[in-house]
Amino acid sequence: MAELKERLHSDMVASLKARDSVRTSTLRMVLTAITEAEVAGKSAKELTAEQELDVVVKEAKKRREAEEAYTEAGRSDLAEKEHAEAGVLAEYLPQQLGADEIAELVRQAIAETGAAELGPRGIGKVMGVLTPKTKGKADGGAVAAEVKRQLTA
């Protein structure tokens, strides 16, 4: 097992012993998602650390989106549950980038790619450089919005 999966599993056992139901169910859910990713396709494979992190990022994003949807629908009880689960998953994600850090990375990527003269048509070029740098550390939508803002300014 990779390091992240081992950590998730040991934390789940600890939460079971502590009778922390939210944490236990959240960790079970993400471990199940990792296992499903391992057996997806024609043959089973062990995921790399980066692939495991991708699964956790995807699950955290699902929780954020569900929280927003429940909040808009006036279901605060379900929104709180999703928020709690997202909080548990956040412990396993890399430190998130702030708006200033994202803006600086975008400035560097625009300079690196020479996309400034392309204007809005250069978004794809800049995102191609930025995505590997920000994966798991920033929401892709926030990064794309900053790229668009800087290229259209």
Side-chain angles (χ1 to χ4, degrees):
M1 279 196 288
E3 187 178 317
L4 179 59
K5 188 175 177 183
E6 288 176 17
R7 182 173 160 221
L8 288 165
H9 190 269
S10 65
D11 288 356
M12 185 190 69
V13 170
S15 69
L16 270 169
K17 290 177 182 175
R19 299 187 187 278
D20 184 346
S21 61
V22 172
R23 188 174 193 75
T24 301
S25 67
T26 304
L27 294 177
R28 261 194 191 133
M29 171 270 309
V30 79
L31 283 167
T32 300
I34 289 172
T35 302
E36 287 174 359
E38 288 174 336
V39 298
K42 295 187 182 215
S43 63
K45 62 188 173 300
E46 189 166 324
L47 299 180
T48 64
E50 185 177 318
Q51 290 170 324
E52 287 178 353
L53 181 62
D54 289 345
V55 171
V56 176
V57 167
K58 191 162 84 172
E59 292 298 321
K61 182 178 179 185
K62 284 182 190 178
R63 298 300 161 277
R64 285 193 309 272
E65 290 172 350
E67 179 185 357
E68 289 173 17
Y70 287 137
T71 302
E72 289 173 12
R75 296 292 308 267
S76 60
D77 54 330
L78 294 173
E80 288 172 18
K81 178 182 178 279
E82 296 295 336
H83 181 75
E85 289 180 358
V88 171
L89 293 175
E91 297 173 25
Y92 300 94
L93 298 174
Q95 182 66 38
Q96 297 295 298
L97 297 173
D100 294 339
E101 294 169 308
I102 292 172
E104 181 55 32
L105 283 172
V106 170
R107 269 192 291 282
Q108 291 171 1
I110 289 172
E112 183 181 320
T113 60
E117 63 266 2
L118 294 175
R121 292 189 325 239
I123 291 175
K125 202 177 218 184
V126 175
M127 287 301 292
V129 171
L130 279 177
T131 301
K133 293 179 183 177
T134 61
K135 193 173 196 173
K137 298 178 188 172
D139 178 49
V143 175
E146 180 62 23
V147 170
K148 186 175 184 179
R149 187 188 71 73
Q150 286 191 27
L151 286 177
T152 57

